[in-house]
Structure formats: C-alpha cells, structure tokens
Amino acid sequence: MMKTIDTFGKKEQMFEDMLHDYDEAKLWLESLGIRIELGRFQSYKKSIAQSLKRGKFNSPDVNDSDALWAIAELHDLLEISKYLGDIDQNLIQKTLNWLRKGPPLLSGEPNDGGGIHGRNFTFELYASSRFLRAGLDVSYQSDADLNISLSNTLLHVECKRAVTENNLEGLIQKAIEQIDRSCGESQTDRGLIVLSLSKLFWQVQAALNQGNVANESELQSLLRPVSEEIARELRARYANKSDNVLGVIFHYKMPFYRRENGFPAFINRFSFVSFSDPGTGNQVISDELSSHLINSVYKSG
C-alpha cells in the first residue's frame, strides 16, 4: 500500500521577527567564519525590507514573484540556523560555505554548472533541518549527504534538486545507485531519496502567467491531486528498483499572496512516498519515519 504524507500546518511569523532571525543566523554563520553579507540571502533581506517600507505587501503586484521567492528561500536559511546549531559544525562546514553562493533570483540560475551548487547544498542542509525538527537522529557518518539512525537501522540519505524536468529521472537513478553502494557493506542499512521539485513548480507557475495571488484553501485543493499524481508516478517507476531504498520524500514550495489580505505565504510540502511492502522490515522503518514527519508538522498559529 502506498503511503504518503498529505498533512500541512501553518506557521505564522511577523516580518520583523523573520528579519531578526536572519540577523541571528548571520551571526551564527559569522562565528563559523562564513560571511553572507554579499550573498543572496542578504539580498533577500533587503528585498523584504524594501517591500515592507513601500507597503508592497498590502497591495501586491500579481506579477511580482521576486519578493515571494525571497521570503520562501530565506525560510530555508532560518530553518537551517535554528536546527543545525547543535550539529558538529566541522562535519558540515564545507556545505555551509555554499550558502552564500548562487544568483539571487531563480530566473538567473543556470540549469547546470557551478551556478546551481549554492541552492543544491542549501537544500541538503534544509533537509537535515527538517529531519531534526522531526526529532530524528541526524548524523554525517558515510559518503551519503546525511544519515538518519532509525529502528536500529542506518539510513543513507541522498538529496537531489531538480532544475529541469529533463534531469529528474537521471537524478533519481543516480541516487538509487549511490544508496546501493552505501548499503553494500551492510545488509541491514537502508537508504532514502529526498527530492526538491521547487524549481519545477516555479517554472510551471511562471509559464502559466496567472499571477501570484491565490486563496489558500483553493490552492491547497489544486495542489493536492498534483502531489498525489507525483506520488503515484514515483512509486510506479522506482518502487521495484532496489530493496535498499525505502522511498522518496519529495519537497516543494509554492509562494503566493493571500487574496483576502495580500499577505505573503507559501505552501511547503515534504511528502514521503514509501516503497515498502506490507509486513516487511522496511515497512516498520517507513512507518516510524512517517510518524516522525507527521507529528512534526507546524501547528496552526
């Protein structure tokens, strides 16, 4: 039976608090010798502050997505700062260094080459922060992007970020091969793929050219069947590729202005598609992982 997480919550935050949290994150990174004042996150802070000053969020431009994505991407940094502070910084220092890299706007990001590494590594760190928020035991003890210890099993987690639809299948196949190699020395180890689809959703949103104002419940209703179809496709194509792979977590953000008040918001989905057959040891691990993720969804307010 296919298991997916289709649960969401709300985290309300004042812009002033968000900007304050950015300053705290900046100080944390500076204590590690990482300066981000010339990087993309600093530009996000400036964009948000300028939008506030101009009253832009009270009367949003339906075609202005830059401020929305500034908020959505700044959220990644704030989650990373909040949850990775207790991780041994020496283990993630090189990855943290990539936070300052990459063009500020998604529209300026290439589809390959060094220009995509900043957001790719940011996604790895964001995935770690999400697992830590779920109360999972995150570590860095193999060649995988990160590890999770769960049900007396070591999980090798491979994070992939799709930048075009054309590279999606290759990314997933590569992750499966990486997991099989990591599990080669232990019959009890397993793996998990975490897949970012945010840029693909951004591309679709831009291509539709229907603006960025939406009713929250209507948008959720529209995206739910899309998520269900993604889950069906992932299971149909990859569930039988390797017994080592528990499944795929797919993630996407979809920022928008609330129609009722113009306030910026974004849907932030982190959904687990289990490949585990009923009655197997893999299902036990998958069920525990699913429970951790569901129980750590932000509550309303």
Side-chain angles (χ1 to χ4, degrees):
M1 179 178 178
M2 181 175 66
K3 294 181 181 294
T4 63
I5 293 172
D6 191 25
T7 305
F8 67 93
K10 294 181 181 178
K11 180 182 179 182
E12 304 284 353
Q13 189 173 28
M14 299 296 293
F15 284 115
E16 291 78 8
D17 294 335
M18 195 174 192
L19 297 178
H20 173 268
D21 289 347
Y22 167 79
D23 289 333
E24 292 294 314
K26 182 171 175 285
L27 288 173
W28 170 60
L29 289 171
E30 287 175 348
S31 73
L32 302 174
I34 301 170
R35 306 187 67 86
I36 61 172
E37 65 271 15
L38 298 179
R40 58 193 178 93
F41 288 107
Q42 181 74 9
S43 73
Y44 299 155
K45 178 188 177 181
K46 290 181 179 178
S47 174
I48 294 168
Q50 289 172 358
S51 294
L52 280 172
K53 186 176 180 179
R54 297 170 184 169
K56 201 172 188 179
F57 296 138
N58 296 325
S59 181
D61 181 343
V62 296
N63 294 312
D64 179 16
S65 64
D66 291 347
L68 286 174
W69 280 99
I71 295 167
E73 294 203 70
L74 183 59
H75 171 261
D76 291 344
L77 176 64
L78 303 188
E79 292 290 285
I80 290 166
S81 173
K82 181 175 181 179
Y83 292 102
L84 268 68
D86 292 331
I87 292 286
D88 184 347
Q89 310 303 322
N90 292 321
L91 298 176
I92 58 174
Q93 179 80 28
K94 290 183 179 179
T95 309
L96 286 169
N97 278 322
W98 282 101
L99 285 171
R100 54 190 169 185
K101 304 293 186 179
L105 301 180
L106 273 172
S107 58
E109 185 186 50
N111 291 333
D112 55 24
I116 67 173
H117 293 336
R119 284 182 173 86
N120 288 357
F121 284 113
T122 299
F123 176 61
E124 287 183 19
L125 294 166
Y126 173 76
S128 293
S129 75
R130 181 63 184 89
F131 291 129
L132 287 165
R133 174 154 67 89
L136 291 162
D137 182 8
V138 173
S139 61
Y140 298 87
Q141 54 183 292
S142 77
D143 290 335
D145 293 327
L146 64 115
N147 299 100
I148 298 173
S149 297
L150 188 65
S151 295
N152 297 315
T153 302
L154 182 66
L155 303 185
H156 303 275
V157 182
E158 295 293 346
C159 301
K160 303 297 180 185
R161 176 174 168 264
V163 295
T164 68
E165 191 173 349
N166 292 335
N167 80 334
L168 185 56
E169 186 170 353
L171 287 175
I172 297 174
Q173 187 58 47
K174 181 179 180 180
I176 294 171
E177 293 169 0
Q178 289 174 315
I179 289 170
D180 281 341
R181 284 198 298 271
S182 295
C183 294
E185 297 183 3
S186 173
Q187 294 183 349
T188 60
D189 286 6
R190 292 294 181 265
L192 179 68
I193 301 169
V194 185
L195 182 65
S196 171
L197 301 176
S198 288
K199 188 167 184 179
L200 301 189
F201 273 72
W202 169 79
Q203 290 168 348
V204 170
Q205 189 179 27
L208 290 174
N209 196 30
Q210 295 180 349
N212 302 285
V213 177
N215 176 279
E216 186 173 338
S217 60
E218 289 177 0
L219 189 57
Q220 284 283 4
S221 297
L222 288 171
L223 289 175
R224 188 171 293 112
V226 174
S227 298
E228 291 171 353
E229 180 60 25
I230 291 171
R232 281 192 293 269
E233 284 292 318
L234 288 171
R235 185 168 176 81
R237 294 189 184 193
Y238 304 106
N240 297 317
K241 294 290 186 180
S242 171
D243 290 337
N244 292 321
V245 181
L246 293 179
V248 176
I249 290 176
F250 68 89
H251 166 69
Y252 65 79
K253 287 184 176 179
M254 176 64 77
F256 62 97
Y257 295 109
R258 288 184 175 134
R259 180 172 289 119
E260 62 269 26
N261 57 17
F263 196 82
F266 58 86
I267 291 171
N268 189 38
R269 186 173 293 278
F270 201 80
S271 295
F272 176 44
V273 184
S274 173
F275 294 167
S276 305
D277 293 325
T280 63
N282 280 3
Q283 186 189 30
V284 174
I285 306 168
S286 294
D287 286 348
E288 186 173 349
L289 174 64
S290 178
S291 178
H292 274 275
L293 293 173
I294 291 174
N295 291 331
S296 58
V297 170
Y298 280 123
K299 308 304 180 186
S300 295

